[in-house]
Amino acid sequence: MFFRLTIDAFALTPGVAEVLKQVRDDRQMAKSRMEVLPGGLAAAPLHYADKGTPQVVIVEEEGDDAALLAGLDRLAEVCESGTRVLVIGEANDIRLYRTLMGRGVSEYMLRPVGARQILDALATLFAEPGAAPKGRVTACWGARGGAGSSTLAQNLAFELARFLREPVVYADLDLAFGTSVLAFNIDAKQTVADALAHPERLDEVLMERCMVDYDDHLKVLAAPGDCRSAGRIEVEAIDRMLELASRMAGTVVVDLPHQWCEWTDHLLSVADEVVITATPDLASLRDCKTLKEALLARRGSAGPRLVLNRMDAAKKTQLTAKDFEETIGLKPMLVIPYEPQLFGEAANNGQMIGEHSKAHRVAELFRQLAGQLAGKAPVVRKVETKKKGLMDMFRR
Ligand SMILES: Nc1ncnc2c1ncn2[C@@H]1O[C@H](COP(=O)(O)OP(=O)(O)O)[C@@H](O)[C@H]1O
Ligand SMILES: [Mg+2]
């Protein structure tokens, strides 16, 4: 089993430091990022005072039980939910072990500890599917420029966040001309360009810094939208960015520029879902066909999904959903009408459609789309209702 983990290990004694380095250099860890740091448990809370915690924190402690528990309390204050804590100590005491487990420590290991023992503990922790969950990546592609793919990607991400009530990342990869800063009306000091510039340096901390929290659940990785600052994008950088984003959020929506090159081709091949937005005309039909065929070789049966947009902008000449279904075998999952005023106003206000006109039928269409692409049922906020009635009296 190969791990794909981020781990910080704080060693106190030279022996444990040596063992942790063996863990780091083990073949099973080739795809992980592990750092061995000095200072033991006491150093960990300070280390995270101004940055996020990785998936696993390993700490060594030499002091008595009280010192250990106090140290763990300080660590708990800075630990993000989801981070697993492994403790290495020397108190061989079942009560202490139970206390530690009760406080959310994932594993307690006794000194002397071996590298194999630590790797086995990690394997047990991350063995069950879903233990280190990976987010779903949805790539949004416009059949032609201006089809409305970015608009769709932004509204989709927004509605997915509301639907799932869990972290969603929207990444605007149209570095040169992306509109995310305008569409969400945000101020992004750092952007996706900074994240992608040095893949070897990209980690969760830098990713966080490049993202803007739009609301409780939606994080926006905006594009600089400045063709002068847009450099070449490496496939390696895309992979690293996707890996981090899908670790940070259960859902990742990627907005692609209308540009066929190595990294866009790669991204369209590895994404869990590809959504093509097309306008109902002949050129779009041809491009959908080309793309569908190109993706068939790469994605097999997991073909792209189709959304028809700007329907009824040219009623007399437009193609229909049926034309798309019958000629290229892609049945549109959604048809969005041409609503220049609605989209224009929302764009001018820097708002999503669901914010600008919650009750509009287009807002409802985006909610439907989110429901279909979420891969799970909506999270409904529980409203505590106290039913008082005769039945209640009987229960009492
Ligand atoms: N259904 C629609 N009706 C009217 N205007 C739309 C519609 N969908 C998108 N637009 C507008 O079309 C323009 C181009 O959209 P955009 O999402 O940037 O396209 P793409 O990313 O495919 O190039 C934007 O001004 C957007 O507001
Ligand atoms: Mg676009």
Side-chain angles (χ1 to χ4, degrees), residues 146 148-151 172 174 177-179 255-258:
S149 175
S150 294
T151 311
D172 185 352
D174 188 352
F177 301 111
T179 52
D255 183 358
L256 289 163
H258 192 72

Side-chain angles (χ1 to χ4, degrees), residues 317-372:
T317 55
Q318 73 185 6
L319 303 184
T320 62
K322 207 158 162 244
D323 291 329
F324 276 77
E325 194 183 345
E326 285 175 358
T327 42
I328 59 169
L330 269 182
K331 185 181 166 150
M333 67 188 298
L334 194 72
V335 179
I336 305 173
Y338 180 60
E339 292 279 359
Q341 195 182 332
L342 173 73
F343 281 91
E345 278 174 14
N348 285 348
N349 294 349
Q351 283 180 313
M352 293 298 107
I353 301 296
E355 293 170 298
H356 177 266
S357 301
K358 196 171 176 217
H360 198 286
R361 72 182 166 129
V362 170
E364 179 51 35
L365 289 175
F366 284 133
R367 285 193 286 273
Q368 269 177 31
L369 182 70
Q372 288 184 64

Side-chain angles (χ1 to χ4, degrees), residues 67-79:
L68 176 58
L69 294 177
L72 285 171
D73 280 345
R74 278 194 294 277
L75 180 59
E77 278 168 27
V78 292
C79 240

